Amino acid sequence: VAAALLGLLAWAIIDQYGDDKLPEAAGPTPTQAISDAVLSDYLVPFLALSFILLAAAIGAIVLARKD
């Protein structure tokens, strides 16, 4: 089953992209440019999710303690 799915996936990718080539990179991208691109639109949801995960971790520790 896995080999059939791999073959189907390979066929779909080759059929979609064929002989397309990736463009040549102009050079390394600075880290600040990557962070600005990723976090500029999603800064508030990123911070909200980090606080939710922090609260979940603290809650798990409190629930797991044996008093």
Side-chain angles (χ1 to χ4, degrees), residues 43-59:
L43 181 62
V44 173
F46 178 77
L47 291 175
L49 183 62
S50 66
F51 281 118
I52 290 171
L53 290 174
L54 177 64
I58 291 172

Side-chain angles (χ1 to χ4, degrees), residues 3-66:
L5 289 176
L6 178 65
L8 180 65
L9 182 61
W11 172 78
I13 291 173
I14 292 170
D15 185 51
Q16 176 67 33
Y17 297 107
D19 294 332
D20 291 349
K21 302 281 187 213
L22 292 174
E24 290 294 324
T29 304
T31 307
Q32 184 177 1
I34 296 171
S35 66
D36 289 344
V38 171
L39 293 177
S40 63
D41 295 334
Y42 302 106
L43 181 62
V44 173
F46 178 77
L47 291 175
L49 183 62
S50 66
F51 281 118
I52 290 171
L53 290 174
L54 177 64
I58 291 172
I61 291 171
V62 168
L63 291 174
R65 284 181 38 192
K66 294 181 181 179

